[in-house]
Every structure is written in C-alpha cells, then in structure tokens.
Amino acid sequence: MNSIVCLDNINKSYHSLDYEVKVINNISFKINNGEFVTIVGPSGCGKSTILNIISGLDKDYDGVVTFGEDISISYMTQEESLFPHLSILDNALIALKVKGKLNNNSINYVNGLLRKYGLFDIRYKKVSELSGGQKQRVSLVRTLSIKPNLILLDEAFSSLDYVNRLKISEDVYHIVKEENISALMVSHDIAEAISMSDRIIVLSNRPACIKKEYLISLGDSPIENRNNKDFNYYFSKIWEDINE
Amino acid sequence: MSSKEHLLFLRKSKRNKIIIRSFQILIFFLFILFYELFGRNNIINSFITSYPSKIFSSLISLFINNNLLFHIFITLKEVILSFIITNIISIIVSLILFLFNTFDKIVEPYLTMINSLPKVALGPLIIISFGSSSSSIIAMAVLISVFTSIETISNCFKNTSTSIIKMLKSFNASTIQIIWYAIIPCNYKNIISSFKISISLCLIGTIMGEFLSSKSGVGYLILYGTQVFNMSLVMASIIVLLIMSLCLYLIIKYIEKHLI
C-alpha cells in the first residue's frame, strides 16, 4: 500500500531562556492511502505537535517528513476557527479562496456538502447564530472543500456534546472511507479512537515516543463499533498503556 | 402572535427606555433652568460663566455677524483631515508592529514614552516646522491622537484569534491573505471603537492647535472671547464644540451600525 505521509526520526524540543523541553523523541511512522490513524497518549505529550509538523505550521524540528504525490492537507483544529462575521457559505469557501481555487465547480461542490450536512437552507446565516454542532459541521465542510487527500483532526470534536460528537464522528468516518481520504486524528478519547480508526498509535509521556501500535479491525460504523465484542479488549489494553 | 409573557417583556423594556430618555431630558432642562436662575440672580459669577439666554443670543449674533458656519467648517475640515491621517498611519504602523515582532519590541518603549509626552509641549516646534497655518493645527491633532490610536489598534491586531490565523496558515495562506481575511475583518469592531476615541482626540488636538496659531475656527473663537473677556462667546463656542463632538460620534456610530 502506498503511503501518503512518512515521518522519519522526528525530534522536537521547545526552548526558553531557562530550560529546554524535549517533547518528541525519535518518532517514525507512516500513514497509508485511505487509512484512518489515531494518536492517543497522555495530556501534553506532544500529540498536537505532530500534526503541526505534518501540516507545515511547525518547521522547527529534526527529522524528515515526506509526502506522497499531489498531497493536499486539510487541518481541523480543536479550537473554534470560524469567522463570526461571515456567513456559513463564506466560511465554507474560505479555504478555496485562500488557495485560489474558487470557481463554479468548487462552489457547487461546497453547496453539495452543505446540503449533505443540513446547512444549505441556512447558508447565509452568520456562524455566530449557530449551535456548537452546526459550527463543527461548517468546519468540517471547510476542511473537505479543498478535496484533501489527508485530513488532520486535532481533538476536532472535543467541544461538542456527547450525542453530536457521536454523530459527527460517524459522518467523518464515512467521508474518509467513501472518498478514500487518509486521516490522522489526535484524541484523548480512547473509545472514539477505537471506534473510528484502522490503526492506533499510543505515545508515551514526554518526551513522546511510540509505545505501541494497534491494528483495529471492527465494523463500518463508529457508533456500532462501540458495541463490538473486541471493543473492550482494545480499550483495556490502550488504557493500561497510557496509565502504565 | 406574541405570547403574553413576550408582550409583557416588550412593554417593560419600552417603559424602561422611556424612563431613561425622560430623565436624560429632565436633567438637561433642570441644568439649563438652574444655570439661568443662578446666573441671572448672581448666585454664580455670571461674568465668568455667563448664562443660557445670554449664551443663546451670543450664538445667534455669532451666526449672523461673525460667520459661525465658516469657523465650524474650518475646525471640522481640520478634525476630519487629522482623523483620516491619524487612522491611516495607525493602521499601517499597527500592521507593521503585528507582522514584525522584533521591531515591535524595539519600538515599544519609545512609543510608550512619546505617548506619555504632553504633545502641547511640542507646539512651538510644530509651528516652526509647519508654519502658522492649518497644517500645524492638523499636525498637532495627529500628534495627540496617533499614538493612542496605534496602541489601541495594534493591541487588537495582536489579540486576533490565534486559531483563525492557524487555520489560514494550515491552508498555506500568505501574509497578505492573513491580513485581508483575518486581521482586518476580525477587528472591524475594534477599529471602529478606536475611531471613536481618535475622533475625540483629533477634536481636542485641533482646538489646541487653534489655540496656538489660528485666525479662524472654533478654537480661535474661544481664544478671542477669552482675550476680550466675552465669556458668552467662550461658552457659546464651547457649546458648538460639544454639538460638533456629538455629531462626529454619531456619524461613526452610524457607520458602525450600517456598514458592519
């Protein structure tokens, strides 16, 4: 299977005048085409830093990151990053505008996504008038608008209530699988990670290194996967790894 | 169809609005009434403070004999020009400070130092540099307002949501795109708030400039009135200034309401 991104011996430290903190220690892994990978680990171990490195937001690291051909990355962060003064449609189109890819076809594609997520009829509403779940859907449409082949999800559903979180994780999973997109998610929610992923990478405490990797093979629905007989097995194993 | 509770709520908020407006008008008329009574009966020194009816007749005579509209136009022109110059400079400098963090740190103590300097002390220097003309008045107004404006706007730019900037960067947005899509539009409201402060400071600066060197303008009228001990003229000019200040504020508020 071809890999879409490959991290080779990544090391990363944060510096201040008084001290240096090593956060990532020799991490190497790759993500294959169409694969859904989740990174879990203790709080503050450097999970988000890995996403920042892959997305190009953080260029100050040692090691090599190589990408597959025609890579197009979209990043969905844990913080709300919608423009409150813009409409749903304008927010959804912002990535296309920035990338200079705004045309009739791309607008139609975004309108299709908005229709799919129940936002089309309210597309001229300002995002400040939306609920948390609707805002997250707008972020998702924006993330998908550029037709990425790798999406990075940094605790992307953490601000949602439980029901919306389950619903949106189901949506994201199906988009990733239907569109053959690869996904790298960072989550502190072990259940969410098991229910959505093909593979889970467990990181150690700082400086983070890969402690274990699990290949997950459950069903095709994250919500139903939570009732799978193997779910608890994975959960207890990963729980032990994180709290060891 | 509104519910009974909603109608009650609407009635209550309307009543509250009427009470606030009534008290505002009542305070104004009581102030005018007592001012007139105390002035006429020499309870306050009417030579210094004058009183409303005298100020009003002074206003009428100013309008008929001294070309009041011309003086208002001159002051207004200087205020608007200095306001435009101040805000263009402030937005450009704030963007530079936002983009170049090291430069921001280098100039920070200098900006604070200049901001705390009483600009009127630079008056003689301004008159020598720009001559005794409206340019020196505009320069004074700009000097008084620009540093406060830079500080306010640059602080707003620095506080722009980091998650929005991070999101744009993740789509490989250029610096110009970050400014165009995030820094300016996310701070519309803050920039307008800074306009509200800078318009008042420009008015203060213009009057100070007119005190230093002018042959026309509302500041000139105040200075002239003081020199000839015509306190009614001084008070009438101050009232004109208050009305001007209110009108300028309302114009910016209108822009805020209808354009943003």
Side-chain angles (χ1 to χ4, degrees):
Chain A
M1 205 181 266
N2 291 330
S3 63
I4 194 156
V5 62
C6 181
L7 280 76
D8 196 11
N9 281 326
I10 301 296
N11 288 281
K12 163 85 189 169
S13 299
Y14 287 115
H15 305 272
S16 82
L17 288 176
D18 303 323
Y19 52 84
E20 179 187 4
V21 184
K22 187 158 191 171
V23 281
I24 295 174
N25 184 26
N26 266 330
I27 282 187
S28 302
F29 67 88
K30 58 184 181 180
I31 300 167
N32 297 317
N33 273 328
E35 194 182 19
F36 199 122
V37 179
T38 301
I39 300 174
V40 294
S43 290
C45 73
K47 303 186 288 287
S48 299
T49 307
I50 294 173
L51 296 193
N52 287 341
I53 287 171
I54 295 173
S55 67
L57 288 172
D58 191 339
K59 294 184 171 77
D60 184 22
Y61 61 90
D62 282 335
V64 182
V65 181
T66 45
F67 296 102
E69 279 176 24
D70 300 325
I71 184 85
S72 170
I73 302 174
S74 218
Y75 194 174
M76 196 168 160
T77 55
Q78 57 187 310
E79 310 98 356
E80 192 194 307
S81 57
L82 296 171
F83 293 99
H85 60 283
L86 292 183
S87 67
I88 292 175
L89 181 62
D90 285 333
N91 266 289
L93 293 174
I94 198 83
L96 290 163
K97 282 184 192 168
V98 167
K99 287 194 169 279
K101 289 180 177 172
L102 194 67
N103 54 42
N104 283 339
N105 285 340
S106 58
I107 293 172
N108 287 339
Y109 179 69
V110 168
N111 276 331
L113 289 171
L114 291 173
R115 199 169 279 124
K116 193 172 178 182
Y117 292 107
L119 297 164
F120 185 75
D121 293 334
I122 52 165
R123 65 192 183 281
Y124 298 118
K125 251 191 179 183
K126 284 195 174 174
V127 290
S128 49
E129 298 168 37
L130 303 182
S131 68
Q134 285 173 317
K135 282 180 185 170
Q136 213 63 9
R137 284 196 162 79
V138 179
S139 294
L140 183 62
V141 171
R142 184 185 62 202
T143 307
L144 299 170
S145 66
I146 58 164
K147 297 185 180 171
N149 39 27
L150 173 63
I151 57 172
L152 306 173
L153 303 159
D154 185 2
E155 307 269 12
F157 322 127
S158 59
S159 60
L160 297 177
D161 59 86
Y162 187 68
V163 175
N164 272 314
R165 196 171 174 150
L166 288 183
K167 278 184 190 169
I168 210 147
S169 60
E170 185 83 17
D171 289 341
V172 169
Y173 177 84
H174 287 295
I175 289 161
V176 167
K177 293 300 168 190
E178 281 162 22
E179 307 287 330
N180 198 31
I181 300 171
S182 307
L184 177 60
M185 180 167 84
V186 156
S187 180
H188 63 264
D189 185 336
I190 301 171
E192 186 176 79
I194 299 167
S195 66
M196 292 179 79
S197 314
D198 299 314
R199 183 156 52 105
I200 293 176
I201 297 170
V202 184
L203 296 185
S204 67
N205 272 314
R206 266 187 192 176
C209 56
I210 295 179
K211 207 170 186 182
K212 249 178 199 167
E213 280 192 52
Y214 291 91
L215 283 171
I216 311 284
S217 90
L218 299 174
D220 283 334
S221 161
I223 293 178
E224 285 170 18
N225 285 347
R226 289 172 186 251
N227 296 322
N228 192 295
K229 60 181 172 44
D230 295 328
F231 183 87
N232 285 339
Y233 164 76
Y234 289 123
F235 191 95
S236 52
K237 280 282 187 190
I238 294 169
W239 178 265
E240 273 172 30
D241 291 334
I242 291 176
N243 295 297
E244 217 167 52
Chain B
M1 186 79 180
S2 297
S3 70
K4 202 176 167 186
E5 286 83 8
H6 187 63
L7 286 172
L8 204 73
F9 168 78
L10 289 177
R11 211 174 297 146
K12 204 175 165 186
S13 46
K14 197 178 171 186
R15 196 181 57 201
N16 208 19
K17 220 173 165 180
I18 291 169
I19 289 171
I20 291 168
R21 196 64 80 221
S22 309
F23 268 94
Q24 282 172 340
I25 294 167
L26 184 72
I27 287 168
F28 176 75
F29 280 108
L30 281 176
F31 173 73
I32 298 290
L33 180 74
F34 283 108
Y35 189 6
E36 180 77 25
L37 283 174
F38 288 173
R40 273 183 189 277
N41 298 310
N42 283 326
I43 297 170
I44 54 171
N45 188 344
S46 62
F47 176 73
I48 296 172
T49 59
S50 191
Y51 47 86
S53 57
K54 212 170 163 190
I55 294 168
F56 186 72
S57 52
S58 185
L59 257 178
I60 300 291
S61 111
L62 251 178
F63 184 72
I64 296 166
N65 307 322
N66 293 67
N67 215 350
L68 176 65
L69 286 180
F70 169 72
H71 290 288
I72 291 176
F73 171 74
I74 295 292
T75 303
L76 213 55
K77 186 189 81 181
E78 288 159 352
V79 171
I80 291 170
L81 274 173
S82 56
F83 173 76
I84 292 168
I85 296 168
T86 294
N87 286 296
I88 290 174
I89 294 173
S90 305
I91 291 173
I92 293 172
V93 173
S94 301
L95 281 174
I96 293 170
L97 295 177
F98 172 77
L99 293 173
F100 304 102
N101 200 21
T102 311
F103 178 69
D104 178 30
K105 284 189 176 129
I106 292 170
V107 299
E108 195 193 352
Y110 295 104
L111 279 177
T112 315
M113 210 159 64
I114 299 169
N115 199 15
S116 56
L117 180 81
K119 312 299 178 306
V120 75
L122 299 173
L125 214 68
I126 291 168
I127 292 169
I128 292 166
S129 308
F130 292 90
S132 182
S133 63
S134 116
S135 310
S136 59
I137 296 167
I138 293 168
M140 173 62 90
V142 170
L143 260 180
I144 285 182
S145 57
V146 78
F147 295 102
T148 309
S149 205
I150 288 172
E151 209 166 302
T152 315
I153 297 179
S154 67
N155 275 336
C156 300
F157 286 177
K158 281 176 209 163
N159 290 328
T160 308
S161 158
T162 48
S163 58
I164 283 180
I165 295 172
K166 187 177 171 185
M167 178 274 292
L168 287 173
K169 279 184 178 169
S170 77
F171 292 120
N172 298 324
S174 64
T175 307
I176 300 287
Q177 284 177 318
I178 291 172
I179 291 170
W180 184 252
Y181 289 119
I183 308 300
I184 302 284
C186 287
N187 286 296
Y188 274 151
K189 281 192 176 167
N190 296 326
I191 292 171
I192 291 286
S193 298
S194 156
F195 283 177
K196 284 180 192 165
I197 300 167
S198 71
I199 197 79
S200 327
L201 288 176
C202 283
L203 188 60
I204 294 168
T206 301
I207 299 303
M208 272 188 176
E210 286 179 348
F211 281 176
L212 285 173
S213 126
S214 69
K215 291 181 185 71
S216 52
V218 182
Y220 164 79
L221 288 179
I222 296 173
L223 194 69
Y224 174 75
T226 315
Q227 282 165 353
V228 297
F229 287 102
N230 184 351
M231 290 307 152
S232 298
L233 175 62
V234 174
M235 293 307 278
S237 305
I238 290 170
I239 286 169
V240 168
L241 265 184
L242 284 173
I243 295 168
M244 275 174 73
S245 164
L246 181 70
C247 290
L248 290 167
Y249 176 80
L250 289 177
I251 290 169
I252 292 179
K253 228 177 157 197
Y254 179 85
I255 294 170
E256 184 181 25
K257 199 175 172 187
H258 290 88
L259 295 184
I260 294 170

